[in-house]
Amino acid sequence: MVKIIKLIAHRGLYNGPDKTLENRPDQIIDALELGFDAEIDLWVLKDRFFLGHDVPQYEVSQQFLEQPELWIHAKNLDALYWLSTTKLKYFWHQNDDRVITSNGYIWTYPDKELTDRSIRLMPEWNDPNLNTVLDYSCYAICSDFVDRIKNLMIQDQLEKSEI
């Protein structure tokens, strides 16, 4: 039996990069409805919550942020501070090889060694065809292509069950 790996839609994206869709609340909801978790970028400004990678773009409610399938990347100190007062899943990183998430997983930069508690970030950066994505050596994969990865995993399971 093949290990099931959690799939996390990077900035809510699941069918490839698209700057016009990333971190949009409706895109994130779509990803969650498809059964994926989602990584989002959070800014807190004057006690208001915004999503956006480089700048705050989309205002959201605290209730939106409390969805258990979200992995929240704090983008400013106020976001990190506020998140530290919650039980939400969050992390802060910039160019680190690895960081620990608030719930004890290892957010891991592409092409770095993995453990069964690692979240493998963006495998497509070093493997555009996702040929090595099926090594199952991590807890989760965060990618812009989680729908494709899901289909590759299903195909792999079918092939292994036929053996």
Side-chain angles (χ1 to χ4, degrees):
M1 182 169 174
V2 175
K3 176 182 169 185
I4 303 299
I5 294 178
K6 182 176 289 293
L7 297 175
I8 304 170
H10 181 244
R11 301 179 190 153
L13 301 173
Y14 50 87
N15 279 322
D18 185 337
K19 293 276 188 201
T20 66
L21 294 176
E22 65 183 30
N23 280 302
R24 280 185 31 183
D26 59 331
Q27 178 69 20
I28 292 159
I29 290 167
D30 286 349
L32 299 182
E33 287 176 351
L34 288 171
F36 302 118
D37 280 19
E39 179 268 347
I40 61 173
D41 297 316
L42 177 68
W43 300 77
V44 175
L45 302 169
K46 298 181 181 179
D47 298 320
R48 293 170 55 200
F49 306 106
F50 297 88
L51 303 182
H53 183 257
D54 295 320
V55 296
Q57 291 178 282
Y58 307 105
E59 188 166 6
V60 294
S61 67
Q62 181 174 333
Q63 182 180 2
F64 180 89
L65 298 170
E66 291 171 346
Q67 296 176 88
E69 302 86 6
L70 296 180
W71 297 77
I72 305 172
H73 179 183
K75 297 300 281 187
N76 66 347
L77 181 57
D78 287 343
L80 186 61
Y81 178 83
W82 177 79
L83 287 162
S84 75
T85 68
T86 73
K87 294 191 182 299
L88 302 177
K89 291 186 296 233
Y90 66 92
F91 60 96
W92 170 282
H93 80 104
Q94 291 182 313
N95 297 315
D96 309 281
D97 287 351
R98 295 169 190 84
V99 298
I100 296 291
T101 65
S102 62
N103 60 338
Y105 288 93
I106 306 167
W107 197 262
T108 306
Y109 202 77
D111 212 28
K112 300 298 177 186
E113 187 177 3
L114 301 168
T115 74
D116 64 354
R117 293 201 53 87
S118 296
I119 297 169
R120 182 180 186 185
L121 182 60
M122 307 304 284
E124 63 267 24
W125 287 3
N126 295 318
D127 180 11
N129 295 319
L130 297 169
N131 293 321
T132 62
V133 79
L134 298 177
D135 65 9
Y136 302 104
S137 61
C138 57
Y139 169 75
I141 296 172
C142 179
S143 169
D144 288 342
F145 293 96
V146 288
D147 196 49
R148 182 171 171 210
I149 293 168
K150 175 185 165 188
N151 290 330
L152 288 169
M153 289 179 170
I154 290 168
Q155 183 63 37
D156 186 53
Q157 288 179 322
L158 288 172
E159 288 172 6
K160 287 181 178 176
S161 69
E162 292 172 1
I163 295 176

